[in-house]
């Protein structure tokens, strides 16, 4: 039984079915054309003989042994197995007609041609067409044999052609099957047929994203191990030094407080690592249509409260009235929260943090502008555990923001302000739906 999901089997079935149908139709037309042509020649011959006899003088007809005034049937035989007689047909009218008959496994064709001088009298010429029928049967058998051979050849060709067509797919499948996280190799699209080059390019983009993801995960694991190992080693050293000899209670309390602070920092780091796991789950969240302007205004209200708690001002500059887009809201919140939290962290007290939203030709853009110390643009700020400035933290916020942006097809950048000291964090969402 053919699999309904097999492209190759479906292609073979459709090609053979279509070809067989065309062959049968062509063969039927050819056979009927041959048959009609042969019988047209025979009927034309019989009609011509009947016309000659009908237009002959009575004496000439009598010399042939035919008495047109005698209703009794008489006949003559000629070398072409043709029998000529006189017939009376009352209901036929005054037009020629042909009739097929069969006797003793022989087939005959008879023409009844009217005589102008006698009403209801017809010249009857009967021709033996047994050999013609045998010839037509041979032609039919030969056509059927040719049809079966042609269908068999088409089936063989369909098998060969379908195998050739799926070879690129099999090649791609084998290359993908041999890949793993330690062996990721780009596909040479130039060696693929032109129809499969877009597929190869898409696979290469996917492989590139997997490579980035795997490298990021490796870097994350190595960085996490290093970041957790160092404070643990410091805590262990402090404890060992404290236990070397009896000390005052205040020394023990200082050591415990110091260790507690280190544990708190480690907990923050572990929370960020867990956040990465949640974010990866959010990437499989089903995109929904949201109004970005209403969404931003709602988030800005929350960020305003956070800024006021730090004695800082948050300024809103959102231009469009409405703009709808399909995306995962959870991932968008990850990006905005990171931008705003960094802006609040690095902006001095009573400073301003500006959130701008505008619609450009490239897409929908959100700027978060602070008045902080700025950044070193030569460094990879999106790598995990990379910190800048004199603020504490795990160094995973921008790494999380970059992963979220990649997941929703957005682009994020960090640049220093040109008008004064500070940083501009930018989120670009490519145009997908028209604004209202």
């Amino acid at each position: 039984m053919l699999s309904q999901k097999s492209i190759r089997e479906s292609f073979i079935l459709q090609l053979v079915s279509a070809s067989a149908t065309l062959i049968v139709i062509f063969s039927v037309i050819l056979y009927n054309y041959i048959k009609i042509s042969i019988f047209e020649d025979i009927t034309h011959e019989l009609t011509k003989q009947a016309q000659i006899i009908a237009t002959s003088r009575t004496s000439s007809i009598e010399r042939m042994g035919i008495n047109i005034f005698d209703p009794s049937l008489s006949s003559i035989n000629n070398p072409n197995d043709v029998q000529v007689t006189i017939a009376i047909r009352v209901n036929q009218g005054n037009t020629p007609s042909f009739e097929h008959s069969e006797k003793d496994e022989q087939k005959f064709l008879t023409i009844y041609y009217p005589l102008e001088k006698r009403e209801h009298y017809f010249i009857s010429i009967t021709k033996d067409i047994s050999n013609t029928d045998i010839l037509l049967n041979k032609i039919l058998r030969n056509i059927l044999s040719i049809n079966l051979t042609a269908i068999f050849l088409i089936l063989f060709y369909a098998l060969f052609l379908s195998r050739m067509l799926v070879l690129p797919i099999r090649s791609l499948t084998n290359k993908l099957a041999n890949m793993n996280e330690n062996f990721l190799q780009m596909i040479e699209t130039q060696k693929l047929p032109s129809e499969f080059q877009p597929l190869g390019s898409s696979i290469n983009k996917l492989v590139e994203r997997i490579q980035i993801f795997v490298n990021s995960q490796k870097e994350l694991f190595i960085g996490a191990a290093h970041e957790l190992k160092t404070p643990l080693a410091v805590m262990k050293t402090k404890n060992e030094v404290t236990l070397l000899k009896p000390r005052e209670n205040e020394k023990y309390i200082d050591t415990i407080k110091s260790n507690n602070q280190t544990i708190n920092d480690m907990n923050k780091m572990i929370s960020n690592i867990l956040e990465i796991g949640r974010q990866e789950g959010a990437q499989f969240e089903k995109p929904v249509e949201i109004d970005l302007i209403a969404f931003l205004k709602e988030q800005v209200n929350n960020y305003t409260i956070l800024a006021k708690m730090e004695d800082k001002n948050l300024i809103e500059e959102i231009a469009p009235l409405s703009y709808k887009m399909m995306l995962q809201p959870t991932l968008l919140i990850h990006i905005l929260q990171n931008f705003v939290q960094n802006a609040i962290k690095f902006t001095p007290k009573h400073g301003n943090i500006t959130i701008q939203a505008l619609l450009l030709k490239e897409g929908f853009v959100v700027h978060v502008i602070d008045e902080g110390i700025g950044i070193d643009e030569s460094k990879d700020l999106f790598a995990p555990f990379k910190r800048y400035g004199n603020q504490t933290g795990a160094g995973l916020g921008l790494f999380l923001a970059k992963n979220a942006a990649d997941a929703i097809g957005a682009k994020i950048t960090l640049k220093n302000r040109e008008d004064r000291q500070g940083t501009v964090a930018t989120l670009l969402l490519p145009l997908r739906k028209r604004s209202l």
Side-chain angles (χ1 to χ4, degrees):
M1 181 178 180
L2 293 179
S3 172
Q4 294 181 352
K5 296 183 179 180
S6 172
I7 296 177
R8 184 186 180 193
E9 292 173 353
S10 299
F11 171 79
I12 293 172
L13 183 61
Q14 292 179 12
L15 180 60
V16 173
S17 300
S19 301
T21 302
L22 289 175
I23 290 173
V24 170
I25 293 173
F26 176 76
S27 300
V28 170
I29 294 173
L30 178 63
Y31 175 75
N32 282 283
Y33 174 78
I34 295 172
K35 184 177 180 180
I36 291 171
S37 298
I38 292 175
F39 276 101
E40 277 185 352
D41 291 341
I42 296 174
T43 55
H44 180 72
E45 179 187 351
L46 292 178
T47 302
K48 188 175 181 181
Q49 291 180 4
Q51 287 175 346
I52 293 172
I53 296 173
T55 57
S56 299
R57 297 178 181 179
T58 304
S59 58
S60 298
I61 296 175
E62 289 177 349
R63 282 198 297 271
M64 294 174 64
I66 304 173
N67 185 352
I68 63 174
F69 301 105
D70 186 357
S72 62
L73 298 177
S74 59
S75 64
I76 60 170
N77 294 324
N78 59 32
N80 293 323
D81 297 327
V82 176
Q83 184 180 21
V84 183
T85 61
I86 297 297
I88 300 175
R89 295 170 69 86
V90 179
N91 298 324
Q92 179 173 329
N94 198 31
T95 57
S97 64
F98 293 89
E99 290 183 3
H100 289 267
S101 60
E102 187 173 353
K103 183 179 180 181
D104 298 331
E105 297 183 355
Q106 288 185 308
K107 294 186 177 181
F108 302 91
L109 177 63
T110 302
I111 182 174
Y112 292 97
Y113 194 87
L115 287 172
E116 296 180 359
K117 296 182 178 181
R118 297 293 299 271
E119 188 178 2
H120 304 311
Y121 279 75
F122 294 83
I123 296 175
S124 171
I125 303 178
T126 302
K127 180 178 179 61
D128 186 356
I129 58 170
S130 299
N131 293 332
T132 302
D133 188 66
I134 293 172
L135 175 63
L136 289 173
N137 287 334
K138 287 182 178 180
I139 292 174
L140 179 61
R141 286 194 296 270
N142 289 333
I143 289 176
L144 291 176
S145 300
I146 293 172
N147 285 353
L148 292 175
T149 304
I151 292 174
F152 175 78
L153 292 176
I154 290 172
L155 177 60
F156 177 78
Y157 176 71
L159 290 169
F160 173 77
L161 182 61
S162 63
R163 181 179 177 83
M164 294 296 295
L165 290 176
V166 299
L167 276 179
I169 294 293
R170 288 185 175 178
S171 176
L172 291 174
T173 303
N174 291 334
K175 288 183 179 180
L176 293 175
N178 292 328
M179 289 185 188
N180 54 51
E181 65 275 10
N182 297 317
F183 180 73
L184 295 172
Q185 187 178 11
M186 294 293 182
I187 295 170
E188 297 181 9
T189 56
Q190 298 301 324
K191 294 183 178 180
L192 295 174
S194 58
E195 293 82 3
F196 291 94
Q197 287 182 2
L199 175 61
S201 299
S202 299
I203 292 174
N204 283 342
K205 290 180 181 178
L206 179 60
V207 169
E208 185 178 0
R209 289 193 63 183
I210 293 173
Q211 284 179 331
I212 295 173
F213 175 77
V214 170
N215 292 335
S216 298
Q217 293 298 312
K218 287 181 179 178
E219 189 176 354
L220 174 64
F221 294 148
I222 294 172
H226 175 74
E227 293 288 332
L228 293 174
K229 182 179 179 181
T230 300
L232 285 172
V234 172
M235 290 172 60
K236 184 174 183 293
T237 302
K238 286 182 179 180
N239 291 337
E240 289 176 347
V241 170
T242 304
L243 294 174
L244 283 176
K245 61 181 180 178
R247 299 177 185 274
E248 298 176 357
N249 290 338
E250 287 77 9
K251 297 291 184 180
Y252 293 109
I253 293 173
D254 290 340
T255 301
I256 293 173
K257 286 182 177 179
S258 176
N259 287 344
N260 284 340
Q261 182 59 44
T262 304
I263 290 171
N264 289 335
D265 293 338
M266 293 171 63
N267 280 332
K268 289 180 181 179
M269 187 181 304
I270 292 171
S271 297
N272 280 317
I273 294 173
L274 291 175
E275 190 65 30
I276 293 174
R278 292 193 205 95
Q279 188 186 87
E280 290 177 359
Q283 293 183 18
F284 297 98
E285 178 185 357
K286 185 178 180 181
V288 295
E289 186 180 63
I290 63 172
D291 187 339
L292 279 177
I293 305 305
F295 182 84
L296 278 176
K297 288 181 178 292
E298 181 181 353
Q299 298 303 316
V300 167
N301 290 333
N302 298 331
Y303 302 148
T304 301
I305 298 173
L306 293 177
K308 287 182 177 180
M309 292 175 62
E310 299 288 334
D311 293 328
K312 298 166 188 178
N313 303 316
L314 193 143
I315 302 172
E316 172 189 326
E317 296 179 0
I318 300 177
L321 297 177
S322 177
Y323 186 77
K324 293 184 177 180
M325 180 177 284
M326 296 288 294
L327 49 72
Q328 297 99 316
T330 306
L331 296 175
L332 181 58
I333 290 175
H334 277 303
I335 301 170
L336 296 175
Q337 276 185 352
N338 178 264
F339 283 180
V340 174
Q341 286 173 355
N342 283 340
I344 293 174
K345 182 190 299 184
F346 292 104
T347 298
K349 285 186 180 295
H350 310 295
N352 295 325
I353 299 153
T354 305
I355 297 180
Q356 294 179 344
L358 60 156
L359 188 60
L360 301 179
K361 188 186 303 182
E362 298 80 11
F364 188 85
V365 179
V366 179
H367 296 301
V368 178
I369 307 169
D370 64 42
E371 297 178 351
I373 59 174
I375 59 171
D376 185 353
E377 295 183 359
S378 64
K379 294 182 179 180
D380 182 9
L381 301 173
F382 299 107
F385 306 107
K386 301 296 182 183
R387 304 176 183 87
Y388 61 95
N390 56 2
Q391 299 288 338
T392 60
L396 291 173
L398 289 174
F399 175 78
L400 283 168
K402 181 66 167 61
N403 286 349
D406 291 339
I408 62 176
K411 182 180 179 181
I412 61 175
T413 57
L414 291 174
K415 292 184 178 180
N416 288 315
R417 294 178 62 170
E418 297 179 357
D419 56 340
R420 56 169 296 172
Q421 184 174 282
T423 305
V424 180
T426 302
L427 166 67
L428 172 62
L429 293 165
L431 292 178
R432 298 173 190 170
K433 287 192 176 261
R434 62 180 181 86
S435 60
L436 300 177

